[in-house]
Amino acid sequence: MTRQSFSGKSEDIWAATVATAAILGSWIFACITPFSAIGVMLAATLSPRKAMAWMGGVWLANQLVGYLILDYPQTANSFAHGGSLLLASMACLFVAIEVLKWRKDETLVSLGLAFGAAFIAYEAVLYVAALYLGGIGTFAPDIVWLIAKNDFFWFVGLLAVRAALTRALPQFYAPNLSARSA
C-alpha cells in the first residue's frame, strides 16, 4: 500500500467512515470498540493532529453509546475507566504513528507491526489503570485473546473497506497518492 494523503473534506469523509464503523460496532458489540485497529487506520491516513481529533471523537462516541444507550453505570469509577480508555486509545494511536514513521511505508507488514504495537500499548495502559481502578480480572488470557481477535478482525475489515472505497470512489477516498503530512 502507498501512503495516502487526503485533503480537506476527503480526510473527514474517510475519518467519518472509520468513526461510523466504530460507533455502530460499539452499539452492536456492547462497546468493544477496536481502538487499536482504528488507531492504525487513522495513523496511516491522516496527519497526527487530525488523527488525534478523530480518535477523541471515536472515544467520545463510544462513551455516549455506553452511557446513553447501553446504560453503563454513571459512577466515578466508571467515568475513570472511561478516562483510561481515552488515554489508552491515544497511546495506541501515538504508537501506530511512530511505528509507521519508523517503517516509512504502509505495506501490510508495516501496518501489521503498527497494529501489534498499538494493541500492546492499548492493553498496557488499561492494565495499569485496572491496577488502581479495579477490573484486573478482565486481563485473563482468554479475555485479552477475545479482544485481540475482535481488534484484528476489525483491522482486516477496515483495511478491506479502505481498499474497496479507494477503488470505487477515488474522488472521495484517495485523491492524492503521496506521503501524508507529518
Side-chain angles (χ1 to χ4, degrees):
M1 289 188 168
T2 305
R3 282 185 187 227
Q4 294 180 359
S5 176
F6 298 115
S7 62
K9 289 182 182 177
S10 297
E11 280 184 335
D12 292 334
I13 291 169
W14 166 244
T17 301
V18 173
T20 300
I23 293 163
L24 291 174
S26 291
W27 191 2
I28 295 166
F29 298 111
C31 271
I32 304 177
T33 301
F35 285 110
S36 303
I38 292 165
V40 173
M41 297 310 297
L42 294 176
T45 56
L46 301 176
S47 69
R49 179 176 285 160
K50 278 206 172 194
M52 261 180 41
W54 276 100
M55 181 62 92
V58 168
W59 168 83
L60 180 60
N62 168 266
Q63 296 302 293
L64 291 173
V65 167
Y67 288 109
L68 300 178
I69 297 172
L70 299 176
D71 292 325
Y72 276 28
Q74 295 183 14
T75 63
N77 187 268
S78 178
F79 294 139
H81 275 288
S84 70
L85 282 173
L86 177 61
L87 292 175
S89 65
M90 290 298 175
C92 77
L93 173 65
F94 292 134
V95 166
I97 289 168
E98 290 305 313
V99 169
L100 292 174
K101 275 186 196 176
W102 169 65
R103 293 286 299 182
K104 297 182 177 130
D105 63 29
E106 241 186 57
T107 62
L108 287 177
V109 170
S110 295
L111 291 169
L113 288 171
F115 173 75
F119 183 78
I120 290 168
Y122 179 76
E123 288 294 310
V125 169
L126 291 181
Y127 183 80
V128 170
L131 290 173
Y132 295 97
L133 300 172
I136 209 74
T138 60
F139 290 90
D142 58 331
I143 294 172
V144 173
W145 178 242
L146 175 70
I147 294 167
K149 287 189 303 185
N150 176 68
D151 276 28
F152 177 75
F153 288 126
W154 272 94
F155 175 62
V156 170
L158 288 172
L159 282 173
V161 166
R162 177 179 168 205
L165 291 172
T166 298
R167 285 189 186 96
L169 300 166
Q171 69 274 25
F172 296 111
Y173 289 95
N176 303 314
L177 293 175
S178 61
R180 67 183 160 78
S181 56

